[in-house]
């Protein structure tokens, strides 16, 4: 009966793809893949663009001959087996332009993360799934898409940092995509100052890293008198310094990045605050079944009508039931950021229209949490459950 109640509530609050939609999506992705013999231990995706172009030429020729390219392509993909090896020790991460060229043996869990090898996100993915195949992606959007298109099984993406605050881009993408939060992982970030071998701290004039990493090490970098330059990610900065053999430039990145790209660690733990922790969300195509056997957290997003005390009423549905809120984040509603004033101000835009992201400590298997959301739904203009998942407490 409890399981039925949970399913009934979620179906009322969230829109789910029909089985036919999921099936057609999976078939579309699989039609672009080829059979590849690979070892599960590989941490890098293998791209098969050259193989596809060769097969496409064969298909096109046969298409002119009998006009049945669809069946021919299917036969080619079933009959052919390829052994593919990457020649690049540090291949480029997935981008949205070649997602469909990615292949997997399917013998182990594939987990997408944003950045290149050595990124903190890769370490977080490996912490969440120690035996996974970590797949780098160029952008956050690409990681979301790769899960939706069945190219990977999970995505592990940062959502907030104890020093730098929220990752707003990922909040927006959570709403845009139809993935579910199935877990979280907290990772302690330890920044290092890296440089090529033979380069000393006094030789450095500038340092490269992600903007948040540079901000988290502001005091140390200021004392060293280094010019700070922002790049897309920490590991990417280390890779650039190594490949370009820069002698006056360092990078702020992880010790793992130093090992991967052959750099020397000039200083460790250079962050201004030792308690530097990033919280990552684990995303999947399907939600997990929430339980009550251990602490759970639920994430939701909702919008409200403008008016006095409306937000107070929304939060009160949790307080009345003694449900603890762990986070609230507001983001402007993109399609309608301004609401017209109704106070006689000539109808000019006055109010921002907001979406509210809330995390609370309760499982959707708990009747108390179900009642809270039913109550909230009475005056919310929009409500969606993003996920109900086990709380992660380890900071290692």
């Amino acid at each position: 009966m409890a399981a039925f109640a949970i399913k009934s509530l979620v179906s009322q609050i969230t829109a789910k793809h029909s089985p036919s939609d999921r099936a057609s999506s999976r078939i579309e992705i699989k039609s672009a893949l080829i059979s590849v013999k690979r070892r599960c231990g590989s941490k890098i995706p293998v791209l098969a663009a050259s193989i596809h172009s060769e097969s496409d030429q064969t298909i096109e020729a046969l298409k002119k001959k009998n006009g049945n390219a669809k069946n021919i392509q299917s036969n080619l993909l079933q009959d052919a087996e390829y052994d593919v090896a990457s020649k690049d020790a540090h291949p480029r991460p997935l981008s949205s332009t070649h997602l469909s060229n990615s292949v997997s043996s399917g013998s182990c869990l594939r987990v997408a993360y944003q950045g290149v090898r050595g990124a903190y996100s890769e370490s977080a993915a490996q912490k969440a799934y120690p035996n996974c195949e970590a797949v780098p992606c160029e952008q956050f959007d690409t990681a979301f898409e790769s899960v939706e298109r069945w190219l990977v099984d999970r995505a592990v993406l940062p959502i907030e940092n104890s020093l730098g605050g929220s990752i707003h881009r990922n909040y927006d993408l959570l709403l845009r995509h139809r993935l579910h939060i199935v877990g979280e992982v907290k990772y302690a970030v330890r920044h290092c100052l890296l440089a090529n071998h033979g380069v000393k701290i006094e030789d450095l004039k500038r340092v490269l890293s992600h903007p948040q990493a540079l901000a988290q090490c502001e005091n140390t970098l200021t004392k060293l008198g280094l010019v700070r330059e922002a790049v897309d990610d920490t590991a990417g900065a280390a890779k650039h310094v190594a490949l370009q053999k820069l002698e006056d430039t360092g990078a702020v990145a992880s010790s793992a990045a130093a090992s991967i790209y052959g750099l020397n660690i000039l200083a460790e733990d250079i962050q201004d605050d030792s308690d530097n922790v990033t919280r990552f969300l684990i995303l999947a195509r399907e939600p997990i079944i929430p339980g009550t056997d251990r602490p759970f957290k639920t994430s939701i997003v909702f919008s409200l009508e403008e008016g006095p005390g409306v937000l107070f009423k929304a939060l009160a549905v949790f307080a009345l039931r003694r449900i603890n809120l762990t986070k609230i984040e507001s983001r402007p509603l993109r399609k309608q950021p301004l609401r017209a004033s109704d106070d006689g101000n000539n109808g000019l835009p006055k109010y921002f229209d907001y979406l509210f992201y809330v995390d609370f400590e309760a499982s959707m298997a708990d009747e108390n949490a179900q009642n809270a959301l039913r109550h909230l739904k009475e005056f919310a203009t929009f409500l969606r459950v993003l996920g109900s998942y086990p709380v992660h407490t380890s900071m290692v």
Side-chain angles (χ1 to χ4, degrees):
M1 181 63 71
F4 175 78
I6 296 166
K7 185 176 181 180
S8 175
L9 177 65
V10 173
S11 65
Q12 291 175 13
I13 296 174
T14 65
K16 297 183 72 175
H17 295 296
S18 66
S20 59
D21 290 340
R22 288 198 300 268
S24 61
S25 174
R26 187 171 188 178
I27 291 169
E28 180 183 350
I29 296 302
K30 288 180 70 176
S31 67
L33 304 182
I34 60 172
S35 177
V36 178
K37 293 179 179 178
R38 303 181 58 218
R39 292 184 178 179
C40 180
S42 172
K43 299 296 181 185
I44 302 298
V46 180
L47 305 183
S50 60
I51 296 175
H52 274 291
S53 62
E54 193 173 314
S55 298
D56 291 343
Q57 292 174 5
T58 306
I59 292 166
E60 189 62 31
L62 292 171
K63 180 180 178 182
K64 293 178 181 179
K65 185 174 181 180
N66 59 15
N68 195 17
K70 192 171 184 179
N71 291 336
I72 293 169
Q73 184 179 22
S74 176
N75 292 336
L76 283 174
L77 298 183
Q78 290 175 4
D79 295 341
E81 288 194 282
Y82 301 87
D83 288 308
V84 181
S86 173
K87 295 180 180 179
D88 188 353
H90 309 298
R92 293 179 181 178
L94 289 176
S95 68
S96 57
T97 58
H98 60 242
L99 272 176
S100 59
N101 288 331
S102 236
V103 296
S104 171
S105 63
S107 58
C108 62
L109 199 69
R110 305 191 76 202
V111 181
Y113 67 92
Q114 188 275 328
V116 299
R117 289 193 63 210
Y120 293 108
S121 293
E122 182 186 29
S123 298
Q126 292 169 340
K127 179 180 179 180
Y129 299 103
N131 298 316
C132 74
E133 178 185 356
V135 180
C137 297
E138 281 186 348
Q139 304 294 335
F140 291 131
D141 310 56
T142 313
F144 276 84
E145 291 174 16
S146 64
V147 179
E148 286 183 325
R149 298 173 63 181
W150 296 80
L151 298 174
V152 297
D153 305 292
R154 301 284 188 274
V156 174
L157 300 172
I159 197 65
E160 61 179 328
N161 176 266
S162 58
L163 301 182
S166 299
I167 316 298
H168 294 138
R169 177 62 178 164
N170 283 336
Y171 273 106
D172 295 337
L173 290 173
L174 280 172
L175 188 64
R176 180 182 302 178
H177 295 270
R178 300 299 304 185
L179 299 183
H180 302 269
I181 304 172
V182 296
E184 65 177 0
V185 59
K186 296 173 183 176
Y187 187 81
V189 176
R190 301 179 61 187
H191 291 306
C192 300
L193 180 60
L194 313 180
N196 283 299
H197 289 277
V199 176
K200 300 178 181 179
I201 290 184
E202 51 267 28
D203 299 328
L204 299 179
K205 296 180 180 178
R206 61 181 184 140
V207 63
L208 310 178
S209 196
H210 187 275
Q212 281 208 5
L214 294 174
Q216 292 164 12
C217 303
E218 183 176 1
N219 291 340
T220 301
L221 299 178
T222 299
K223 289 178 182 178
L224 294 175
L226 299 176
V227 175
R228 282 153 277 186
E229 294 186 16
V231 295
D232 288 342
D233 60 89
T234 56
K239 182 177 181 179
H240 178 76
V241 169
L243 292 180
Q244 299 301 319
K245 303 186 187 309
L246 302 177
E247 297 183 356
D248 64 345
T249 305
V252 173
S254 65
S255 57
S259 176
I260 291 170
Y261 301 112
L263 296 177
N264 186 33
I265 299 177
L266 299 180
E268 293 183 290
D269 293 327
I270 64 171
Q271 62 271 7
D272 298 337
D273 193 324
S274 58
D275 295 326
N276 184 11
V277 178
T278 298
R279 175 174 168 245
F280 294 80
L281 296 180
I282 304 172
L283 305 175
R285 288 179 292 275
E286 298 292 339
I288 61 173
I289 299 175
T292 56
D293 56 326
R294 51 181 166 165
F296 264 70
K297 181 184 291 184
T298 299
S299 297
I300 63 173
V301 56
F302 60 90
S303 59
L304 302 166
E305 287 287 351
E306 184 65 38
V310 178
L311 181 57
F312 171 80
K313 292 177 184 177
L315 301 182
V317 306
F318 301 102
L320 290 172
R321 295 168 178 84
R322 303 184 64 82
I323 297 175
N324 184 41
L325 302 184
T326 59
K327 182 175 176 62
I328 180 169
E329 182 81 25
S330 62
R331 298 289 295 150
L333 187 60
R334 284 176 171 256
K335 292 183 179 180
Q336 188 183 350
L338 291 175
R339 186 192 298 271
S341 171
D342 56 3
D343 60 0
N345 192 24
N346 298 323
L348 296 176
K350 181 179 180 181
Y351 302 109
F352 271 103
D353 227 352
Y354 286 101
L355 289 165
F356 298 95
Y357 293 82
V358 169
D359 294 344
F360 59 87
E361 291 181 333
S363 168
M364 284 303 297
D366 186 348
E367 187 176 358
N368 213 25
Q370 295 176 27
N371 290 335
L373 293 195
R374 286 193 184 99
H375 192 176
L376 177 59
K377 197 169 184 286
E378 291 177 4
F379 48 88
T381 58
F382 166 78
L383 174 60
R384 177 176 158 193
V385 176
L386 298 171
S388 190
Y389 48 94
V391 173
H392 186 264
T393 56
S394 173
M395 298 289 185
V396 179

